[in-house]
């Protein structure tokens, strides 16, 4: 998700100044330059805000776009938009969320009452606001009542990674499957073997797809895809990948294709794998993707994507995690203390790690 800059400040010249109001968190200064820097400690600004103390944080695949300089960073930018933790303080207009509750929210704050929210598109909320700076100990969440979902009690620590995954990657993978109309018995193709793609496999499995093809050429990711429910692995890409999917589907193509990357190649591959009348969902932030309307017209595919309305799915996802029916926290294959956040970015950038959990 995008990460507009605010809340960063230069270290005060006097080190004693406002020390209780400062904290340290991840700040992006420029391409491949993430630092664990002093920032203003978040506090209640609007009466609808909450401030939460995070139980864990993590790095998202979409954080790699600004990290790699593909989306431009003009000012030092606090990073991170995935979060879960304990409510410390709420504004005077917050009535549903209470201090002491364990809560999870999504990367866009939403009121959950406007027509778009009520239709299940909270990431198009008329009052949406980005949540930024979650790679830090404390976070301000706008529109707390609409954005946050509280668990019935404070979870045991072994559930934290899965609950954190629900904040973005699981919710996004779930939307990928839902938006591609995955139905019981369906043949599903997942393009992209990052955390979202892997959890899209898990989501398709939960929605009772019969055949789930993961397109991946990385052994560790293939293994996790199989654990999450993939029945087939296709290592070919582009034209060869599309040909392989045709072959696996007796020349027909897949009824549901989940594009979880955001590049032109991935989008072309996804559309090329769908059968006429099939569905293609796209949940990776597009970078340089352009579609040829003429070609699209003659393919007869449904396209449905966008920033996942994770809030729509959170209550259901929390229940599935709470009852241990799913374990999406397995996507975290590297855990580091928050102060080593820069190494977490490097590991994901070099594809040494699928997803980095940051310990607080
Ligand atoms: Zn709304």
């Amino acid at each position: 998700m995008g990460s507009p800059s605010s809340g960063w400040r230069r270290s005060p010249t006097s080190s004693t100044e406002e020390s209780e109001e400062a904290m340290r968190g991840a700040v992006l200064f420029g391409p491949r330059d993430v630092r664990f820097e002093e920032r203003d400690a978040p506090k209640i600004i609007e009466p609808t805000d909450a401030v939460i103390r995070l139980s864990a944080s993590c790095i998202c695949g979409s954080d790699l776009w600004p990290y790699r300089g593909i989306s431009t960073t003009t000012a030092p930018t606090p990073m991170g938009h995935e979060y879960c933790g304990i409510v410390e303080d709420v504004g005077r207009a917050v009535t549903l969320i209470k201090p002491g509750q364990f809560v999870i929210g999504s990367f866009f704050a939403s009121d959950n009452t406007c027509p778009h929210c009520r239709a299940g598109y909270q990431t198009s909320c008329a009052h949406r606001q980005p949540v930024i700076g979650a790679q830090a100990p404390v976070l301000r969440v706008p529109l707390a009542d609409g954005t946050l979902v509280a668990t019935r009690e404070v979870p045991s620590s072994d559930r934290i990674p899965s609950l954190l995954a629900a904040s973005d990657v699981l919710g996004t993978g779930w939307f990928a499957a839902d938006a591609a109309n995955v139905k019981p018995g369906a043949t599903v193709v997942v393009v992209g073997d990052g955390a979202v793609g892997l959890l899209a496999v898990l989501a398709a499995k939960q929605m009772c797809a019969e055949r789930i093809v993961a397109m991946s050429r990385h052994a560790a990711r293939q293994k996790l895809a199989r654990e999450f429910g993939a029945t087939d692995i296709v290592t070919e890409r582009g034209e060869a990948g599309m040909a392989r999917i045709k072959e696996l589907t007796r020349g027909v193509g897949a009824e549901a294709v989940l594009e979880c990357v955001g590049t032109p190649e991935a989008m072309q591959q996804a559309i090329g794998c769908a059968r006429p009348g099939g569905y293609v969902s796209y949940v990776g932030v597009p970078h340089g993707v352009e579609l040829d309307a003429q070609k699209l017209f003659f393919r007869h595919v449904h396209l449905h994507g966008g920033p996942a309305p994770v809030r729509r799915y959170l209550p259901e996802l929390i229940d599935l995690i709470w009852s241990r029916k799913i374990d999406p926290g397995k996507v975290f294959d590297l855990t580091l203390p928050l102060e080593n956040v820069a190494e977490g970015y490097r590991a994901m950038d070099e594809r040494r790690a699928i997803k980095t959990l940051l310990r607080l």
Side-chain angles (χ1 to χ4, degrees):
M1 295 297 95
S3 33
S5 61
S6 73
W8 178 84
R9 67 171 191 183
R10 288 185 187 286
S11 303
T13 41
S14 155
S15 59
T16 54
E17 192 184 311
E18 299 177 71
S19 56
E20 76 283 8
E21 289 187 35
M23 65 164 188
R24 298 183 82 191
V27 178
L28 181 69
F29 282 75
R32 292 188 165 78
D33 183 10
V34 169
R35 302 179 209 165
F36 184 60
E37 278 287 309
E38 191 163 300
R39 288 171 35 196
D40 289 336
K43 53 176 194 272
I44 303 290
I45 298 172
E46 299 293 332
T48 46
D49 288 351
V51 166
I52 69 176
R53 180 157 296 273
L54 300 183
S55 299
S57 186
C58 59
I59 302 170
C60 183
S62 69
D63 292 333
L64 296 179
W65 295 111
Y67 179 76
R68 288 170 173 157
I70 296 168
S71 24
T72 337
T73 308
T74 48
T77 306
M79 296 297 286
H81 55 260
E82 296 159 278
Y83 57 96
C84 63
I86 307 276
V87 179
E88 280 203 332
D89 196 8
V90 295
R92 59 186 155 72
V94 176
T95 58
L96 303 172
I97 295 297
K98 316 262 185 243
Q101 283 181 325
F102 183 92
V103 292
I104 304 157
S106 149
F107 46 82
F108 274 132
S110 51
D111 57 18
N112 217 27
T113 55
C114 78
H116 307 317
C117 284
R118 281 194 305 215
Y121 287 85
Q122 287 89 344
T123 34
S124 274
C125 175
H127 302 107
R128 78 173 182 189
Q129 293 179 54
V131 179
I132 54 169
Q135 289 158 9
V138 182
L139 177 71
R140 170 183 167 252
V141 181
L143 303 171
D145 275 343
T147 305
L148 297 171
V149 178
T151 56
R152 62 190 88 156
E153 56 195 75
V154 174
S156 53
S157 60
D158 60 321
R159 281 194 178 94
I160 300 284
S162 285
L163 292 167
L164 180 60
S167 171
D168 183 354
V169 277
L170 173 62
T172 298
W174 203 269
F175 176 58
D178 195 14
N181 198 39
V182 172
K183 293 279 186 263
T187 294
V188 177
V189 171
V190 178
V191 179
D193 62 1
V196 170
L198 293 167
L199 291 172
V201 168
L202 178 151
K205 174 75 180 170
Q206 287 293 311
M207 294 175 196
C208 303
E210 187 177 302
R211 193 163 199 193
I212 304 170
V213 184
M215 302 191 85
S216 170
R217 31 175 76 170
H218 297 262
R221 294 164 190 246
Q222 292 171 359
K223 182 167 173 282
L224 197 49
R226 290 225 185 251
E227 274 181 52
F228 283 152
T231 54
D232 301 79
I233 303 286
V234 165
T235 55
E236 293 90 342
R237 287 182 184 173
E239 294 292 336
M242 295 177 218
R244 186 83 186 97
I245 297 297
K246 278 274 166 66
E247 200 182 304
L248 287 172
T249 54
R250 293 189 206 88
V252 175
E255 54 247 71
V257 186
L258 287 46
E259 195 280 296
C260 304
V261 185
T263 61
E265 297 78 13
M267 192 65 165
Q268 291 310 331
Q269 188 171 312
I271 293 169
C273 290
R275 66 178 294 168
Y279 289 75
V280 173
S281 62
Y282 55 108
V283 297
V285 183
H287 284 78
V289 178
E290 283 179 21
L291 297 177
D292 179 336
Q294 184 84 9
K295 269 193 193 163
L296 206 52
F297 183 80
F298 287 101
R299 285 303 328 275
H300 266 144
V301 293
H302 302 72
L303 289 181
H304 185 192
V310 175
R311 176 65 184 79
R312 188 203 310 179
Y313 305 112
L314 274 179
E316 182 184 359
L317 299 179
I318 291 169
D319 276 350
L320 288 169
I321 292 164
W322 209 268
S323 57
R324 300 195 190 273
K325 292 196 176 97
I326 57 172
D327 189 7
K330 282 185 190 167
V331 291
F332 294 107
D333 58 345
L334 177 64
T335 299
L336 294 171
L338 176 64
E339 57 262 37
N340 295 358
V341 61
E343 166 55 18
Y345 275 83
R346 275 195 297 275
M348 284 174 64
D349 181 35
E350 294 162 13
R351 286 178 76 86
R352 285 184 278 121
I354 300 171
K355 193 168 176 69
T356 308
L357 185 99
L358 300 166
R359 219 172 38 232
L360 288 155

